[in-house]
Amino acid sequence: MTLERPDRADPYLDLDEYEPEADLMVLNFGPQHPSTHGVFRVVMYLDGETIVKAVPYAGYLHRGVEKLCEKLTYAQITPIVDKNDYVAPMFNEQAVNMAFEALTGTEVPIRAQYIRTIVGEIQRVASHLLWLGTFAMDLGGAIGGGTSVFMWCFREREMILDLFEHLTGCRFHYNTHTLGGNRHDIPAGWAEKVHATLGHIAQRVDEYEAILDHPIFKARTEGVGVISAQLALDLGLTGPLLRASGVDHDLRRDAPYNIYDQLDVQVMTDTGGDCAARYRVRVREMRESIRIARALVDNVPPGPICGTKPIKLPVQTRVKDGQVYVALETPRGELGTYVIGGGDNRNASPYRLKIRPPSLHALSALPYVLPGHGVSDAVAILGSLDPIMGEADR
Amino acid sequence: MTTAERESAFVELLRARFGLAEDAEPPPEGFLLAAEHHFELARTLKQQHGYVQYVSVVASHWPEVPAKGKVEGDPEHYEVATLLRTVGPGSHVARWRVRIEMDGALDSLVPLFAGADWQEREQFDLVGVRFADHPDLRRLMMPEEWVGHPLRKDYAIETGHLPWR
Amino acid sequence: MAVDESDLPFEHPLYDLMAKMPGLDLATTSVDKLLNWGVRNSLWIFPMATSCCGIEFMAAAASRVDMDRMGTIVRGTPRQSDVMVVAGTITVKMAPRVKRLWDQMPEPKWCVAMGSCAISGDFYRDIYSVIPGIDTVIPVDVYIPGCPPNPEELMGGMLALQEKVALKRAGLRVPPEVRPETAKMIKPRVGRAEDPTREKLIGHHQALQARTLDLTEPADLVEAMTPKAAADGDQEGGA
Ligand code: SF4
């Protein structure tokens, strides 16, 4: 029996009142499952093969980062928050440092802003590549001959990691942003490498699109997991999820930070709101990011890369009070940092640091979207949300 | 509308209807409102001013400050900051704080924004602040049987949990 | 721990027959060698990938490093795998699940702790919700340090595990890795929050052991320890 897919299911459905004769089956999915992308658990109540109610459980990777940040000084926090969104660490670093800069009123030199923008856009490509690879793998080996797309995406992602290794010395967890700027300047020959790598990846993206233009992929994504624009806004979904539902909103254009106000960022939207729309938005964003990064990397103005001194050993910053909220657009959406100044270590630590995780908002859509779908669709929907548990649970 | 225009319209709204003093400068911590205005403000913003996107809720715990000399004492309390956003060009974040006593509860925003559900659950779990009329106020991050609220200032970071540590 | 039955008399009619059959002893040792080779080169991995190290684990399984050529196929189920690779932070909420999955794996099984989080908890060590190392839950065979370890390092760890498996199956003793440079290591100066319930003496004892690589208990320490602390120390040392 197939239930019709409600536009917005009731997450607080009382199962005792649901068709008393129906023989519901309880299926536990996670916390260790290859397609949950980390440790996440959903308990699904099934009527036949159709989900009637889904109850997600988060917190299997709650590492207490916010509590830890209350004990550390501002300069010590950057490498800690690196580990939150481990697929796009550049954005974590930048988010907290932008918040601390707003709190202390530190100016960021223009060259550092260029570098931040460039590495951010390249990181966005890497993050979407990883998403594409794992998403295609979740949808089954039939697509593109086994795990081809996964292998291809990782092949290209490794090239981007090489770029970052050249810049910062690390494959990931870079610790390159700091209060008031960056710690690593662009080395000689890096710009050419960026051009070569991104040019190569731009060609490869066409290849992915060609291989995923596949009847099975379409059947498993089109019309699956539709999130309406109203539901997306209510839930606080951001980034590609919101844009795939047809809302034209991108913090890079609408609340610009760095040098985005001087750039012409194309906001990619789609109207379907389903998994296929989310896939299309992300692929288009990859192209757009490649375009932005390639346009900027030749025009980086000269100057200092850090506003505070000394660069390698930052001075202790002390802030008495004040509260700021700063947000930026990551591959997953709005990553916000709310900081209350004036904490331990004689005001050298934040009193409270809250990270607004886009992944947690994305996961909270599950009880509204899953009912009416089959179990195999649940995997597709969960994958298309692109959750990173390190960031959702912190 | 640009972000700056939205900001001044927001301040005007607070002054006109939500008890902000006429000459009050925007403080560096954000506006502190009375708790009874909380839900009404969120509804006005959502329905009339285009703040349709739910951003976040941040609760913090403030331990008791004993009165000492000229410094005034302050009983233990919570503070909850709420953030809503407009979408499209010139996006602006409306941000306000309310103060809750230790045994008090704040009106939940779940009837307005479905996304408030998990965020308020998380703040209840980690900080301990209660939300009135929340449909499903359970722990989100910690196991159900956990004792205490980790992000409170009186909770030691290294508190053990047997048998694992 | 299995009971030592080596000196007990064991009789079975089949044994007499086997002892008289010419060439059988040769055949069994050859079969044993073959089995040994097979087990060593088909270590199927069950990835316990919880966080950042899991991404590097995926990178190791993907195109550039391609760990599969060592016969280490990644399986999604514990019932078909030999090695559990714990890649990432294990929290209090997750630890019982890890234990349960470990119990579901068939013998013989091995465990690899990948990354500082799985080894010791990394900088999350002192946090209320993180367990200080997976070896407080399940026994670990190979530790791969790093935050995160490169895919190449993971591969090195798997090679070390292959060696260990070969020695163990041949009934040989696995020599511990000797690292003379650890003797020069001094205690890090950065202070860290201490678990108030933890015996000071145990930490001291462990530090001494790590520095001298001497795994026997120093007599004066044993004496100095209260009976309770001594029992705890044994547990910690054996884990
Ligand atoms: S060791 Fe480092 S990279 Fe690995 S899980 Fe822990 S924090 Fe992440």
Side-chain angles (χ1 to χ4, degrees):
Chain A
M1 143 189 188
T2 350
L3 304 173
E4 96 274 19
R5 288 179 187 166
D7 202 20
R8 179 178 184 147
D10 177 15
Y12 314 111
L13 180 74
D14 187 356
L15 286 174
D16 293 339
E17 285 173 14
Y18 175 84
E19 282 182 48
E21 303 95 84
D23 194 6
L24 292 189
M25 184 183 140
V26 185
L27 180 69
N28 178 46
F29 182 75
Q32 215 295 327
H33 189 278
S35 63
T36 57
H37 294 232
V39 278
F40 182 66
R41 175 172 167 227
V42 194
V43 175
M44 295 187 272
Y45 297 87
L46 305 177
D47 186 351
E49 173 79 354
T50 317
I51 301 168
V52 173
K53 178 181 177 178
V55 186
Y57 293 87
Y60 289 94
L61 193 55
H62 176 69
R63 307 192 269 199
V65 172
E66 290 174 3
K67 185 85 177 175
L68 183 59
C69 288
E70 290 173 12
K71 303 276 173 228
L72 302 176
T73 63
Y74 289 109
Q76 288 173 327
I77 287 176
T78 312
I80 305 290
V81 294
D82 251 352
K83 279 86 180 171
N84 283 356
D85 180 353
Y86 39 77
V87 174
M90 285 290 183
F91 292 100
N92 299 304
E93 301 177 0
Q94 200 187 340
V96 288
N97 281 309
M98 267 166 58
F100 299 158
E101 282 150 14
L103 195 67
T104 56
T106 313
E107 285 281 321
V108 182
I110 185 78
R111 185 176 172 87
Q113 295 192 10
Y114 266 81
I115 298 177
R116 285 180 175 190
T117 312
I118 294 167
V119 294
E121 293 304 329
I122 299 176
Q123 181 78 79
R124 192 183 311 273
V125 178
S127 169
H128 282 341
L129 276 175
L130 189 130
W131 170 80
L132 185 61
T134 50
F135 183 58
M137 195 165 68
D138 286 350
L139 288 188
I143 297 157
T147 51
S148 304
V149 180
F150 172 76
M151 291 291 178
W152 289 1
C153 288
F154 265 78
R155 182 185 64 197
E156 266 75 73
R157 185 175 168 272
E158 289 283 340
M159 301 170 83
I160 292 185
L161 295 190
D162 281 351
L163 279 184
F164 285 144
E165 197 170 348
H166 190 178
L167 181 72
T168 68
C170 303
R171 272 170 61 86
F172 62 89
H173 300 338
Y174 310 105
N175 191 13
T176 175
H177 296 70
T178 180
L179 186 67
N182 276 37
R183 297 201 309 140
H184 302 102
D185 206 345
I186 295 183
W190 196 68
E192 291 85 65
K193 227 172 148 182
V194 169
H195 275 301
T197 306
L198 294 187
H200 174 79
I201 292 176
Q203 291 172 4
R204 291 288 164 257
V205 173
D206 299 341
E207 210 172 282
Y208 308 144
E209 270 193 327
I211 200 170
L212 290 178
D213 184 14
H214 188 285
I216 297 179
F217 186 76
K218 283 185 180 156
R220 292 203 58 186
T221 54
E222 272 171 13
V224 171
V226 179
I227 302 178
S228 65
Q230 186 58 47
L231 178 62
L233 287 171
D234 278 0
L235 284 170
L237 301 192
T238 44
L241 304 180
L242 185 65
R243 292 193 281 276
S245 296
V247 182
D248 191 6
H249 177 72
D250 188 325
L251 291 182
R252 287 178 290 169
R253 184 197 63 193
D254 300 338
Y257 51 96
N258 282 359
I259 53 163
Y260 281 115
D261 47 353
Q262 303 159 23
L263 299 178
D264 178 26
V265 182
Q266 296 285 321
V267 180
M268 303 299 170
T269 58
D270 207 298
T271 47
D274 53 359
C275 295
R278 298 195 267 278
Y279 155 71
R280 286 194 294 270
V281 165
R282 288 200 176 99
V283 170
R284 280 184 222 145
E285 269 183 17
M286 251 195 267
R287 291 222 180 81
E288 174 69 6
S289 292
I290 290 175
R291 185 187 70 76
I292 296 175
R294 290 188 70 174
L296 285 182
V297 75
D298 287 332
N299 305 323
V300 184
I305 55 164
C306 189
T308 54
K309 278 186 179 178
I311 296 171
K312 295 285 168 182
L313 185 69
V315 287
Q316 291 246 313
T317 315
R318 297 183 196 279
V319 187
K320 198 79 189 305
D321 48 20
Q323 304 189 1
V324 293
Y325 175 75
V326 174
L328 52 77
E329 182 81 22
T330 75
R332 267 155 283 284
E334 174 178 345
L335 175 67
T337 314
Y338 191 100
V339 191
I340 304 180
D344 281 4
N345 303 333
R346 290 182 286 127
N347 295 340
S349 308
Y351 183 83
R352 169 98 164 83
L353 184 138
K354 151 106 186 179
I355 294 161
R356 178 212 189 266
S359 294
L360 189 64
H361 286 260
L363 288 172
S364 71
L366 285 177
Y368 294 89
V369 181
L370 282 186
H373 291 85
V375 177
S376 58
D377 294 335
V379 174
I381 294 171
L382 187 57
S384 76
L385 294 179
D386 191 13
I388 297 298
M389 295 318 293
E391 175 193 65
D393 295 347
R394 285 155 290 135
Chain B
M1 269 213 270
T2 63
T3 309
E5 284 166 11
R6 286 212 167 93
E7 171 75 36
S8 52
F10 176 59
V11 178
E12 281 307 312
L13 178 73
L14 290 186
R15 288 205 175 119
R17 291 187 46 201
F18 295 101
L20 189 70
E22 273 299 321
D23 50 350
E25 280 293 303
E29 305 90 37
F31 304 105
L32 184 65
L33 302 180
E36 71 258 24
H37 292 318
H38 173 71
F39 189 83
E40 189 54 35
L41 173 59
R43 187 164 71 200
T44 315
L45 286 176
K46 181 183 179 191
Q47 292 173 353
Q48 295 168 14
H49 297 266
Y51 289 83
V52 286
Q53 192 181 46
Y54 185 77
V55 177
S56 200
V57 53
V58 186
S60 48
H61 172 242
W62 298 81
E64 183 182 2
V65 180
K68 202 163 85 185
K70 269 184 259 156
V71 183
E72 276 183 40
D74 197 5
E76 191 179 5
H77 65 279
Y78 298 117
E79 248 182 44
V80 181
T82 310
L83 301 104
L84 303 178
R85 187 186 270 286
T86 67
V87 293
S91 178
H92 175 243
V93 178
R95 170 155 74 93
W96 70 92
R97 300 179 296 141
V98 292
R99 181 189 160 120
I100 319 270
E101 300 312 319
M102 289 307 282
D103 48 359
L106 184 66
D107 292 333
S108 166
L109 291 189
V110 177
L112 291 175
F113 296 99
D117 182 351
W118 280 31
Q119 301 303 313
E120 288 176 355
R121 266 176 73 189
E122 191 199 349
Q123 296 306 305
F124 160 70
D125 179 1
L126 297 183
V127 187
V129 58
R130 304 195 73 84
F131 291 90
D133 300 332
H134 190 287
D136 187 22
L137 200 59
R138 285 179 293 132
R139 284 183 181 274
L140 181 67
M141 292 296 169
M142 311 307 299
E144 287 285 320
E145 69 280 359
W146 194 267
V147 181
H149 300 285
L151 282 191
R152 272 157 75 146
K153 290 287 165 180
D154 51 8
Y155 191 96
I157 189 168
E158 67 270 20
T159 304
H161 183 79
L162 296 173
W164 303 113
R165 52 169 299 157
Chain C
M1 202 82 207
V3 185
D4 188 9
E5 293 175 340
S6 49
D7 52 346
L8 294 182
F10 186 86
E11 282 168 15
H12 193 278
L14 196 61
Y15 272 50
D16 288 343
L17 196 68
M18 281 164 70
K20 283 185 202 124
M21 200 180 280
L24 189 70
D25 48 349
L26 195 69
T28 43
T29 47
S30 309
V31 167
D32 214 43
K33 268 196 191 134
L34 185 70
L35 273 181
N36 190 348
W37 176 82
V39 168
R40 183 154 44 90
N41 290 306
S42 65
L43 294 171
W44 288 12
I45 294 183
F46 175 62
M48 193 66 229
T50 60
S51 54
C52 351
C53 281
I55 303 294
E56 281 299 64
F57 178 84
M58 272 154 75
S63 17
R64 182 181 288 184
V65 179
D66 189 15
M67 211 166 50
D68 288 4
R69 63 202 147 109
M70 292 161 44
T72 55
I73 300 175
V74 180
R75 301 299 301 178
T77 158
R79 309 206 186 261
Q80 300 171 355
S81 15
D82 310 298
V83 187
M84 179 189 260
V85 175
V86 183
T89 325
I90 303 295
T91 59
V92 168
K93 205 170 171 180
M94 193 65 199
R97 274 88 182 170
V98 180
K99 179 78 171 69
R100 178 184 286 192
L101 288 166
W102 171 254
D103 290 344
Q104 285 176 3
M105 284 170 59
E107 292 277 0
K109 55 191 172 187
W110 297 273
C111 175
V112 174
M114 176 185 182
S116 345
C117 278
I119 294 174
S120 67
D122 208 354
F123 41 72
Y124 306 112
R125 182 187 177 87
D126 297 320
I127 294 179
Y128 52 91
S129 64
V130 175
I131 62 163
I134 190 62
D135 49 9
T136 56
V137 183
I138 56 178
V140 177
D141 293 280
V142 175
Y143 296 87
I144 307 172
C147 179
N150 283 354
E152 291 84 358
E153 282 176 61
L154 175 61
M155 209 149 143
M158 293 309 292
L159 288 171
L161 181 64
Q162 285 190 349
E163 247 167 61
K164 179 169 181 175
V165 170
L167 288 175
K168 268 274 169 68
R169 281 194 64 93
L172 302 174
R173 185 174 166 275
V174 184
E177 193 182 352
V178 182
R179 300 183 60 195
E181 66 271 22
T182 48
K184 292 196 208 85
M185 277 184 199
I186 50 164
K187 215 176 158 208
R189 296 235 316 282
V190 182
R192 59 166 27 167
E194 292 259 316
D195 181 3
T197 55
R198 194 180 157 93
E199 292 277 346
K200 284 270 183 320
L201 219 44
I202 300 170
H204 181 59
H205 187 189
Q206 281 184 345
L208 259 185
Q209 280 188 346
R211 234 178 282 166
T212 55
L213 279 181
D214 176 15
L215 296 183
T216 57
E217 307 208 340
D220 53 336
L221 259 173
V222 175
E223 248 171 56
M225 272 191 271
T226 58
K228 182 185 154 296
D232 282 356
D234 278 346
Q235 262 177 22
E236 299 256 348

